[in-house]
Amino acid sequence: MPQPETVPMACDQQTATVGPAKRWQGQDISGLTGEHLIYTYENGWVCELYVKNATTIDYRVHSGPVGGRWVKNQPVNAVQLSGKDRYKVNWMEPTGTAVSLVVNLETRQHHGVVFFPQWVHQHGSKTAMFQNDHLDQMMRLRNAGPTYPIFVVGEFAEMILVERRGINNENVVNVSPQEFAPTLARICAANRLTHKFGQKWGPRDTSDLVGKRLNFTYSNGWHHELYVRSASSIDYRIHSGLGALRSEKNQTAYIVRLTGSNRYIISSTEVTGTSMSLTLDLDIRELHGAIFFPQWILNDPLELIRSPSKSHERSSPVSVLRKEDSIEYCDAGRIYPLHLMSEFADITSIVDCAAEHATS
């Protein structure tokens, strides 16, 4: 199996694995770098992102539970998705929060998935500061926890400002959200927010995806299998790669449909403490996975392998272990730093199966 390259990702030696390129070689994210975006989520949160260069962003959070937070020089992993001006930006923060954004510059649309550790979900205001001056404090709070259960927020957003500011411009995000508030108010008023999200994004119906079983192989050689059991749950099995032979049934998932006839996002967080956001384009059989692993899995991946003596249920298209055999792996060891695997995959097969297979 090809060995992935390790690339440094964040302040305390978080890493990303990037496998050998196939048809995704020649990734061009120049259309995203240098862009300054302000966007408002359906839940009312207003955020701001400046893509400083291919591996770094600055951002401000203007409202919501972590409103008042701002960060400069956050390391990110950014990739180009299929279609015009479509990108995905992934990163991990010193707070333990993991983020995956899909950005569509052509339609000024945006979708964000945020995996909040429990302490941030409960006390988000503790992160509402200029993080760069308080890195040690953020990591102390992160390590004190609690981390679990991870709180997943997935939202569509409308871009109210898209402007090109060039790369490495330190004057784009250079004051606090409070100081920027008058300028933000003028931008919002000038754009007259419509919040017609359904009209902008098209149908939200995911029924065309439910009941499908997908086999896919990442560019690093890992082979995974996924069954979309319902509009909010999946089964999956890992055939090769990190955690090979591991399987899970009835995993809660956040599933949404993006612009385009067969584009979706599937996001979930599981008992191992692993979180993932998969972006699928079924028309061209392409998938991108952003998977955030806790440190203990990198230290001892064999702990993920289930005992072959344990009984399996075969009522699902993906044969998995019984739920009562599940182990609360999230308590198994060191969590941080998180590690990001960002990989494209070929979807090698798509099979229509009945939704919600009955359990025996």
Side-chain angles (χ1 to χ4, degrees):
M1 180 190 306
Q3 293 299 310
E5 175 189 1
T6 298
V7 181
M9 280 297 295
C11 60
D12 56 347
Q13 299 179 338
Q14 302 171 72
T15 61
T17 57
V18 181
K22 293 185 179 179
R23 60 190 170 95
W24 308 287
Q25 189 174 9
Q27 279 273 304
D28 181 11
I29 61 169
S30 59
L32 179 66
T33 53
E35 291 290 335
H36 177 216
L37 314 174
I38 300 177
Y39 46 94
T40 178
Y41 285 106
E42 284 184 289
N43 61 11
W45 300 357
V46 178
C47 300
E48 181 181 4
L49 179 73
Y50 166 54
V51 186
K52 181 177 284 186
N53 55 54
T55 59
T56 314
I57 61 170
D58 296 345
Y59 72 87
R60 284 183 283 230
V61 182
H62 296 283
S63 61
V66 297
R69 174 177 171 78
W70 63 301
V71 176
K72 290 182 70 71
N73 298 317
Q74 168 66 52
V76 298
N77 164 265
V79 298
Q80 180 186 25
L81 299 176
S82 61
K84 184 179 179 181
D85 291 333
R86 296 180 69 245
Y87 305 93
K88 189 173 181 180
V89 185
N90 311 289
W91 72 88
M92 302 158 294
E93 301 184 345
T95 61
T97 300
V99 183
S100 184
L101 308 181
V102 172
V103 178
N104 189 330
L105 293 179
E106 182 185 21
T107 58
R108 296 169 67 104
Q109 299 163 352
H110 172 105
H111 184 275
V113 178
V114 185
F115 301 95
F116 287 115
Q118 190 61 212
W119 79 267
V120 177
H121 173 51
Q122 293 175 358
H123 306 289
S125 61
K126 291 184 178 181
T127 72
M129 60 186 69
F130 182 45
Q131 178 178 267
N132 299 60
D133 289 344
H134 302 277
L135 286 174
D136 289 343
Q137 179 184 351
M138 291 298 99
M139 286 186 277
R140 281 197 303 271
L141 289 168
R142 176 196 73 182
N143 294 337
T147 298
Y148 303 109
I150 298 291
F151 184 72
V152 184
V153 176
E155 290 282 342
F156 288 95
E158 177 181 5
M159 295 184 195
I160 58 176
L161 177 71
V162 179
E163 62 174 358
R164 194 144 190 88
R165 298 294 300 272
I167 63 172
N168 299 323
N169 186 340
E170 297 297 342
N171 295 318
V172 180
V173 177
N174 61 352
V175 297
S176 70
Q178 293 81 1
E179 293 174 273
F180 190 72
T183 302
L184 178 64
R186 288 194 296 272
I187 292 171
C188 290
N191 282 272
R192 300 191 179 191
L193 296 181
T194 58
H195 295 291
K196 295 180 180 178
F197 292 97
Q199 295 178 29
K200 277 180 166 285
W201 286 89
R204 299 287 184 86
D205 183 14
T206 59
S207 58
D208 288 345
L209 183 64
V210 173
K212 284 187 169 57
R213 182 182 66 195
L214 287 68
N215 278 276
F216 49 97
T217 302
Y218 285 108
S219 56
N220 62 6
W222 296 1
H223 176 203
H224 289 202
E225 184 178 0
L226 173 73
Y227 166 56
V228 184
R229 169 174 288 271
S230 72
S232 59
S233 64
I234 59 174
D235 299 347
Y236 67 86
R237 180 197 283 168
I238 302 173
H239 292 277
S240 64
L242 188 64
L245 307 183
R246 173 169 165 72
S247 54
E248 192 66 55
K249 181 175 182 178
N250 242 344
Q251 173 68 47
T252 299
Y254 172 78
I255 305 173
V256 297
R257 186 171 188 160
L258 297 175
T259 301
S261 57
N262 275 301
R263 291 173 177 164
Y264 303 90
I265 294 176
I266 299 176
S267 303
S268 69
T269 184
E270 53 158 86
V271 294
T272 64
T274 301
S275 299
M276 70 176 183
S277 184
L278 308 181
T279 308
L280 292 71
D281 190 326
L282 299 189
D283 287 339
I284 63 172
R285 296 195 169 210
E286 178 180 286
L287 178 149
H288 180 271
I291 306 178
F292 303 92
F293 292 106
Q295 177 65 40
W296 74 267
I297 291 179
L298 278 293
N299 290 344
D300 194 1
L302 293 179
E303 286 294 324
L304 279 174
I305 299 177
R306 305 299 188 105
S307 167
S309 64
K310 291 182 182 284
S311 59
H312 290 67
E313 290 181 312
R314 298 193 177 274
S315 59
S316 165
V318 178
S319 175
V320 295
L321 289 174
R322 295 180 304 179
K323 202 70 174 178
E324 55 264 32
D325 291 330
S326 178
I327 300 173
E328 290 295 329
Y329 283 113
C330 61
D331 296 325
R334 182 181 171 191
I335 301 169
Y336 301 109
L338 297 176
H339 292 255
L340 168 64
M341 186 204 81
S342 172
E343 293 279 356
F344 282 96
D346 282 310
I347 301 175
T348 55
S349 70
I350 303 173
V351 179
D352 282 311
C353 308
E356 286 285 12
H357 277 240
T359 57
S360 58

